[in-house]
Amino acid sequence: MNTEERFIALETKIAYMEDFIATLQKEAVANAKQIEVLREENKILAGRYEELAENMDIPSRRPPHY
């Protein structure tokens, strides 16, 4: 394999790696946004649970049979 073929092979690998990294970064950004949405939803649901627990007077301790 001569030098020119080696350079072409390396450039090809680099091009594929750059594309992969760009795709991976887009997915990471999308996942981070989705995680933030899920955290907000979790916070809202936890607040609703607390409100329901207070209004229903549910004890926070385990029943005696545990």
Side-chain angles (χ1 to χ4, degrees), residues 1-11:
M1 190 180 249
N2 66 25
T3 306
E4 186 174 343
E5 290 173 343
R6 290 177 64 193
F7 279 129
I8 290 172
L10 288 172
E11 288 174 343

Side-chain angles (χ1 to χ4, degrees), residues 7 10 13 18 25-26 41 62:
F7 279 129
L10 288 172
K13 286 182 180 184
E18 286 175 341
Q25 185 169 357
K26 287 178 189 175
E41 288 177 359
R62 288 185 174 181

Side-chain angles (χ1 to χ4, degrees), residues 15-53:
Y16 279 112
M17 288 174 65
E18 286 175 341
D19 181 58
F20 175 73
I21 290 170
T23 302
L24 189 61
Q25 185 169 357
K26 287 178 189 175
E27 287 297 317
V29 169
N31 287 343
K33 288 178 183 177
Q34 183 64 30
I35 288 170
E36 188 58 36
V37 167
L38 292 172
R39 283 184 177 156
E40 288 298 319
E41 288 177 359
N42 188 29
K43 185 188 291 185
I44 291 168
L45 290 173
R48 287 184 184 170
Y49 172 78
E50 289 295 324
E51 288 176 12
L52 286 174

